[in-house]
């Protein structure tokens, strides 16, 4: 079932803007994170794999990583360089500029997508990204919020709160930058109503894109131990698909969904097992949207149960 019939996907957005398919290339800039280097903590957020994600890739230059990633796909001729691993604005601006410049200079790279934390985006980094946008590059600032509830942020040892996110978005928007916000459904202690509240808060602050993920338990994370002790129960695929579709229906149609689920492979993935294959969850979400209405169709209506 085609999600694009019911959802404003990032792939469709890029194809509409550039007239052809644009493929996103995941890169690692050898960054760390204040939740790992001792600035805030050393164990990372409780859902994160504390091992060296992206370290092997970061041993290669950005140009070499882009060349390697291009060889993995023959589905596109233009590319978006995605600085994904760790906190990709967590360095001096001169270091950031060198890495971003190297990516932007590669043939057929039409823009940058930079993943980071809301408390790690100084004005100097935003000014740098705005400069690329002024040169005509497609620029996205991806902020990992996960939840709008500060109590949950503390529980998962995130190290920042909603106020940091609001401030980062407002400063990005003053520079005309597009923001994509990452949200996780199924965090410990949160129910569906709290997930709905998170979406409503993010939409009220203002956002151009969203990434929605189910909580996944991965090896090397603090949550892996909690899961083994029976303290965490991930959402079922049926539950997540229904909740995701509900959130999508309450999202304005102009907001771009960069992702509506997530996957991981063994041995990294511990639970839920349904996050291994990519398509079943997407098909379940598409079927729910087809039956109950597409993105934006529930705007102005009360949430279920209200």
């Amino acid at each position: 079932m085609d999600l694009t019939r019911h959802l404003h996907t990032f792939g469709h957005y890029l194809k509409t803007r550039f007239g052809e398919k644009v493929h996103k290339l995941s890169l690692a800039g050898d960054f760390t994170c204040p939740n790992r280097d001792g600035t805030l903590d050393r164990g990372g957020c409780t859902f994160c794999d504390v091992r060296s994600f992206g370290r092997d890739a970061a041993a290669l230059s950005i140009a070499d990583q882009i060349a390697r990633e291009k060889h993995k796909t023959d589905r596109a001729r233009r590319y978006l360089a995605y600085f994904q691993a760790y906190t990709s604005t967590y360095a001096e601006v001169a270091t950031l500029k060198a890495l971003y410049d190297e990516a932007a200079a590669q043939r057929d790279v039409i823009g940058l997508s930079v993943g980071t934390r809301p408390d790690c985006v100084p004005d100097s980094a935003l000014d740098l990204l705005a400069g690329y946008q002024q040169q005509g590059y497609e620029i996205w600032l991806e902020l990992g919020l996960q939840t709008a509830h500060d109590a949950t942020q503390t529980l998962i040892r995130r190290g920042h709160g909603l106020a940091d996110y609001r401030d980062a978005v407002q400063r990005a928007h003053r520079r005309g930058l597009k923001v994509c916000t990452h949200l996780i459904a199924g965090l410990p202690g949160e129910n569906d109503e709290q997930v709905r509240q998170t979406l409503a808060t993010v939409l009220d602050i203002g956002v151009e894109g969203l990434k929605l993920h189910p909580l996944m338990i991965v090896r090397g994370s603090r949550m892996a131990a909690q899961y083994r002790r029976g303290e965490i129960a991930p959402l079922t695929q049926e539950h997540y698909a229904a909740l995701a579709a509900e959130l999508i229906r309450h999202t304005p149609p102009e907001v771009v969904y960069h992702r509506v689920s997530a996957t991981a492979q063994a041995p990294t993935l511990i639970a839920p097992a349904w996050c291994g294959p990519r398509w079943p969850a997407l098909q379940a979400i598409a079927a729910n949207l087809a039956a109950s209405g597409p993105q934006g169709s529930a705007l102005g209506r009360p949430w279920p149960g209200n």
Side-chain angles (χ1 to χ4, degrees):
M1 188 171 292
D2 186 6
L3 262 177
T4 61
R5 296 177 56 192
H6 315 288
L7 176 70
H8 189 185
T9 66
F10 191 47
H12 184 262
Y13 161 84
L14 290 172
K15 189 171 184 179
T16 299
R17 175 163 184 194
F18 294 100
E20 61 182 304
K21 184 175 180 64
V22 177
H23 192 80
K24 199 171 182 181
L25 306 176
S26 294
L27 308 174
D30 199 23
F31 296 102
T32 182
C33 169
N35 246 9
R36 295 172 181 265
D37 69 3
T39 301
L40 295 173
D41 201 345
R42 289 198 178 275
C45 305
T46 61
F47 57 80
C48 284
D49 181 349
V50 299
R51 296 170 299 181
S52 55
F53 171 71
R55 292 303 187 197
D56 291 341
L60 300 174
S61 70
I62 294 300
D64 286 343
Q65 289 183 56
I66 288 174
R68 184 182 69 174
E69 292 299 308
K70 281 183 179 181
H71 284 306
K72 294 180 181 179
T73 178
D74 59 0
R75 296 176 295 163
R77 295 180 300 172
R78 306 177 86 178
Y79 306 94
L80 194 69
Y82 177 26
F83 286 86
Q84 178 182 21
Y86 291 105
T87 304
S88 296
T89 57
Y90 192 51
E92 296 295 327
V93 69
T95 300
L96 300 179
K97 186 175 188 305
L99 292 169
Y100 300 166
D101 278 354
E102 186 176 357
Q106 303 309 304
R107 183 172 60 87
D108 301 325
V109 169
I110 51 84
L112 309 173
S113 189
V114 177
T116 189
R117 293 165 52 95
D119 57 342
C120 292
V121 280
D123 287 342
S124 58
L126 294 176
D127 289 340
L128 179 62
L129 292 174
Y132 294 108
Q133 185 162 276
Q134 291 163 9
Q135 296 174 49
Y137 287 99
E138 174 77 9
I139 302 297
W140 284 86
L141 178 68
E142 298 201 23
L143 295 178
L145 175 63
Q146 320 311 349
T147 174
H149 301 282
D150 284 352
T152 307
Q153 297 278 18
T154 299
L155 182 65
I156 64 177
R157 302 179 73 157
R158 184 73 183 158
H160 67 74
L162 180 63
D164 298 295
Y165 169 79
R166 187 187 301 273
D167 174 67
V169 171
Q170 290 173 346
R171 288 186 292 112
H173 282 167
R174 284 199 292 270
R175 292 163 172 81
L177 292 169
K178 297 184 289 293
V179 174
C180 173
T181 301
H182 296 212
L183 305 177
I184 296 178
L187 287 168
E190 289 202 354
N191 56 31
D192 289 359
E193 179 57 28
Q194 288 168 298
V195 180
R196 297 171 188 137
Q197 291 168 358
T198 287
L199 176 67
T201 299
V202 168
L203 293 175
D204 182 63
I205 292 171
V207 73
E208 289 71 42
L210 291 167
K211 273 188 177 179
L212 183 62
H213 308 260
L215 177 66
M216 296 189 298
I217 310 301
V218 297
R219 295 188 188 280
S221 69
R222 288 167 167 163
M223 279 190 185
Q226 294 175 295
Y227 176 75
R228 286 192 293 268
R229 294 194 299 266
E231 298 170 4
I232 299 175
L235 300 178
T236 65
Q237 179 179 293
E238 181 181 18
H239 185 168
Y240 177 75
L243 177 59
E246 179 187 339
L247 297 171
I248 292 165
R249 284 193 290 271
H250 282 82
T251 301
E254 66 271 15
V255 174
V256 181
Y257 268 93
H258 292 226
R259 182 176 291 175
V260 293
S261 191
T263 61
Q265 302 302 317
T268 299
L269 179 66
I270 295 176
W274 61 265
C275 283
R278 177 184 180 189
W279 295 111
L282 297 181
Q283 291 171 345
I285 293 168
N288 195 301
L289 292 171
S292 301
Q295 180 174 338
S297 61
L299 285 172
R301 300 181 196 169
W303 293 92
N306 291 349

